[in-house]
Amino acid sequence: MATEATTPETPEMTPKASKIVKLDQPRIPVPARHNGRWSGYRHLLWARILELKREPEVIFWVFIFPLLLAAGLGIAFRNKPADVTSVVVIEGAGAQKTLAMLQNSADRSSSDKRESTKSSTIRATVLDRNAALNAFHVGKYDLAIEANPDGSYTYYYDPARPESVLSRAEIDAALQSAAGRKDTLPTSTQSSSEPGSRYIDFLIPGLLGMNLMNSGMWGVGFALVEMRQRKLLKRFVATPMRRSDFLLALTSSRLVLMVIEVGLLLGFGVLVFHMRVQGSILSVIFLGMLGAVTFGGVGLLTACRAQKIESVSGLINLVMMPMWIFSGVFFSYDKFPAMAHPFIRALPLTALNDALRATIIEGATLGSQSGRLLVLAVWGGVSFVLALRWFRWT
């Protein structure tokens, strides 16, 4: 019987699978990315803001230190009762009588004001002549009194000490009143210590202006020289970056800190010392922005060629020292001679402090302060142009 033999199929005998060949599709050209005119400036500004996170000391010097300074000075110069007049009576025949007259006059004055006798502003002590005069000369007493045999009095006072001059007038009025002198002209007094007239109201705008100057000068000038020392500016030269964009980003980066500075100081004054902001908050912010940019430009000009941290530190202190003294941060520049006032008002910190005080205390508008705004704009604009011209990368 015949059998049918079958053989397995070999791979050569299987039909080949058909291959699908995909033709390359034509590529659509991607248009080149064109950055706008201010793209480089935006990237530089954002990079500078991110760098501030690596500087924790900025938080203390820019935010905490001004608050501590305001708190310390506000407490030291707070509204308080009148200072006690400390006098010494030279021991002699009429010393005890003089002491009694001063005490009676003080008691009468306190009862007229409906106050306790413990709040008397006169404190008198009897000492022998040498001890009394020595204590007066070293400042332990404001005034020394000597009763003469004929019933008159001799006052020893120092005309260079304001408290000594005031004590002389007060003690003379007290003794004359105790001796029976009558005031022929009726008068009345009324105290006033409303917010706006206190020292803290004068101080807060000055501290705000000083802090904007410090942060602008040090934050820009110090950072620029540090980048120059670390050879970072050499790397920037190789990039398609405009010099003006770099310097402008470095200057305007202080605006971010400015908003926090203004809010912290003004909020601290309002909450702690019950300070009143009479003007517009937007006007205050605008003045802060203008001040930050102005001192950023001055900082750029100061550090545009400095090579070392020591050099720029000396230059910045040299520029800021006159403004610390003359621009009315802690006291009014009206105390200086009148012939110096035009030069003082031409300083940028003076213009900023005057504008801030006029806005915060008096409620003045920006339009009424065009002269001060012009001073700030000229200082900032001229400084930035000169820094752009003289700046070098290495």
Side-chain angles (χ1 to χ4, degrees):
M1 182 172 177
T3 60
E4 183 177 356
T6 60
T7 59
E9 295 182 358
T10 60
E12 289 78 11
M13 298 176 62
T14 58
K16 295 183 178 180
S18 61
K19 296 182 178 180
I20 301 175
V21 180
K22 295 183 178 179
L23 299 177
D24 293 338
Q25 300 293 332
R27 296 182 178 178
I28 302 176
V30 179
R33 182 178 180 181
H34 297 285
N35 291 325
R37 166 62 185 86
W38 297 102
S39 177
Y41 164 75
R42 291 195 301 270
H43 285 85
L44 288 169
L45 178 60
W46 180 244
R48 180 56 189 160
I49 293 175
L50 292 179
E51 287 178 2
L52 295 177
K53 296 181 180 179
R54 303 178 182 178
E55 302 174 0
E57 64 274 8
V58 172
I59 298 177
F60 175 79
W61 289 110
V62 177
F63 302 136
I64 301 178
F65 178 73
L67 298 182
L68 296 177
L69 191 60
L73 293 175
I75 294 173
F77 295 96
R78 69 191 184 280
N79 287 356
K80 56 183 180 180
D83 293 333
V84 173
T85 301
S86 181
V87 299
V88 59
V89 180
I90 298 176
E91 191 174 13
Q96 294 301 326
K97 179 182 177 182
T98 303
L99 184 62
M101 293 173 64
L102 291 175
Q103 292 176 347
N104 292 335
S105 176
D107 293 345
R108 188 183 306 112
S109 175
S110 298
S111 61
D112 291 342
K113 296 178 183 179
R114 297 181 181 180
E115 296 177 353
S116 172
T117 57
K118 293 182 180 180
S119 64
S120 171
T121 60
I122 298 177
R123 295 288 185 271
T125 306
V126 178
L127 294 175
D128 64 84
R129 182 179 180 82
N130 291 333
L133 293 179
N134 287 335
F136 166 70
H137 290 153
V138 298
K140 292 183 179 180
Y141 297 97
D142 301 328
L143 185 72
I145 310 170
E146 185 175 19
N148 300 318
D150 59 355
S152 62
Y153 290 94
T154 301
Y155 300 132
Y156 297 91
Y157 78 104
D158 186 355
R161 292 164 53 190
E163 66 275 10
S164 185
V165 177
L166 294 175
S167 297
R168 176 184 175 276
E170 182 180 359
I171 295 302
D172 183 68
L175 290 176
Q176 296 289 353
S177 177
R181 187 183 69 180
K182 301 295 183 181
D183 296 330
T184 58
L185 184 64
T187 61
S188 62
T189 59
Q190 183 176 357
S191 62
S192 176
S193 59
E194 292 296 324
S197 61
R198 305 166 303 171
Y199 177 71
I200 190 64
D201 301 310
F202 176 88
L203 178 65
I204 291 294
L207 288 180
L208 182 56
M210 185 191 72
N211 202 40
L212 290 172
M213 177 186 71
N214 290 341
S215 61
M217 296 282 290
W218 286 105
V220 174
F222 190 87
L224 185 61
V225 176
E226 186 184 22
M227 285 189 287
R228 185 178 287 123
Q229 277 194 327
R230 293 165 56 192
K231 311 299 182 182
L232 293 179
L233 297 185
K234 279 188 175 181
R235 300 182 181 182
F236 286 150
V237 176
T239 62
M241 176 186 62
R242 294 179 176 88
R243 178 186 301 184
S244 59
D245 288 350
F246 171 72
L247 297 180
L248 187 59
L250 197 63
T251 303
S252 56
S253 63
R254 311 309 301 180
L255 296 179
V256 178
L257 300 180
M258 180 277 306
V259 177
I260 306 176
E261 292 176 45
V262 172
L264 279 178
L265 264 179
L266 284 184
F268 181 80
V270 171
L271 295 176
V272 178
F273 296 104
H274 308 289
M275 181 180 172
R276 295 178 183 174
V277 180
Q278 304 292 347
S280 170
I281 296 296
L282 294 179
S283 299
V284 176
I285 294 177
F286 175 81
L287 291 173
M289 294 175 59
L290 183 58
V293 173
T294 297
F295 288 111
V298 177
L300 278 180
L301 179 60
T302 306
C304 64
R305 286 182 173 269
Q307 298 292 325
K308 298 180 179 179
I309 297 297
E310 294 79 6
S311 301
V312 76
S313 298
L315 290 174
I316 291 176
N317 285 325
L318 180 64
V319 172
M320 293 196 302
M321 184 61 69
M323 291 185 278
W324 278 338
I325 299 174
F326 298 110
S327 292
V329 176
F330 302 102
F331 56 88
S332 175
Y333 59 81
D334 291 331
K335 297 182 181 296
F336 293 102
M339 61 179 300
H341 290 178
F343 302 98
I344 295 176
R345 293 192 184 99
L347 296 174
L349 184 57
T350 306
L352 179 60
N353 287 344
D354 288 348
L356 288 171
R357 288 192 178 107
T359 303
I360 295 173
I361 299 176
E362 303 172 12
T365 61
L366 294 177
S368 62
Q369 306 186 72
S370 56
R372 296 162 181 164
L373 300 181
L374 180 62
V375 170
L376 290 172
V378 169
W379 272 97
V382 172
S383 298
F384 184 80
V385 171
L386 293 178
L388 184 62
R389 181 180 181 86
W390 295 339
F391 174 79
R392 62 183 182 185
W393 297 100
T394 58

